[in-house]
Amino acid sequence: MRRNRTRVRRTLAEYAETPLQVLESAARVASGVVNGVKMDSTSIDLPGSEVESIHYQDGRLTLRFSRALIVKTMTGSRQHTRWWQAGELIIDGASVDGDLPDCPCVCDGGDVGENIYTYRDMIPLPLASKGRSHCELRFQGTERRLRVDGESVTLNMEDRPHYIEHTRG
């Protein structure tokens, strides 16, 4: 048992002998599996995530992340990996309170909610929910906030996650 824990704690580079093996290992991690261990939690870390645009039209709010910061963790581990990925947070049946923030901008945190759950400074991946939804986000360098109530919320990620770092928490 101890041998397996040690194996999981090693970095991808320790297992790889060639650059191709490093890329293959990174692809396995991006898919949510590291050395046969399923990644248990994946979420967007809102503070520091870069927002390219925010559009509101015909009751649909679309917040486009050019670089959403993603954290992946495994149960029982104090280590996690950080990634970035582009994507969109879509709220349908939306009503916006106030003016939309100017973009591009960097998120400073806030709340995203669906039904009875409110997620502070993060958004779980995947996210697709019908029912009451809300969003209140802060942005760096401005007092303007994004406040939205809606009837459903969906998070659509594009392409694949790009590796940033491996950290011990």
Side-chain angles (χ1 to χ4, degrees):
M1 184 73 167
R2 182 179 175 105
R3 185 171 142 203
N4 289 339
R5 276 186 273 159
T6 303
R7 186 178 305 150
V8 171
R9 289 184 182 150
R10 292 184 186 156
T11 64
L12 295 175
E14 291 175 310
Y15 286 104
E17 296 176 4
T18 67
L20 179 59
Q21 288 174 321
V22 170
L23 290 174
E24 289 171 345
S25 295
R28 282 192 302 277
V29 171
S31 71
V33 177
V34 179
N35 298 323
V37 177
K38 179 76 175 152
M39 298 293 248
D40 293 328
S41 172
T42 303
S43 62
I44 291 178
D45 196 10
L46 286 172
S49 288
E50 299 170 13
V51 177
E52 179 180 309
S53 63
I54 303 172
H55 296 290
Y56 178 65
Q57 185 176 2
D58 299 327
R60 173 178 269 198
L61 180 110
T62 304
L63 183 145
R64 174 151 181 73
F65 290 104
S66 56
R67 189 175 169 105
L69 300 177
I70 297 172
V71 177
K72 296 184 180 192
T73 60
M74 292 181 290
T75 299
S77 175
R78 290 183 290 144
Q79 301 177 29
H80 59 271
T81 54
R82 293 178 42 84
W83 305 75
W84 71 268
Q85 187 174 3
E88 293 181 334
L89 179 69
I90 300 169
I91 299 178
D92 282 315
S95 63
V96 177
D97 182 16
D99 295 329
L100 298 177
D102 295 327
C103 290
C105 54
V106 177
C107 187
D108 203 26
D111 295 339
V112 173
E114 47 104 6
N115 294 309
I116 63 169
Y117 300 103
T118 297
Y119 306 105
R120 171 116 338 130
D121 292 337
M122 58 86 74
I123 304 172
L125 284 169
L127 177 64
S129 178
K130 294 186 186 243
R132 185 181 178 281
S133 59
H134 67 277
C135 174
E136 182 172 343
L137 300 179
R138 302 179 309 278
F139 300 94
Q140 294 177 3
T142 182
E143 293 297 316
R144 190 176 289 175
R145 292 178 181 235
L146 174 63
R147 291 185 179 98
V148 182
D149 288 307
E151 298 171 359
S152 69
V153 61
T154 306
L155 185 60
N156 296 324
M157 302 310 288
E158 299 172 359
D159 195 18
R160 62 173 181 80
H162 301 272
Y163 179 78
I164 299 173
E165 65 183 339
H166 185 97
T167 60
R168 288 169 169 55

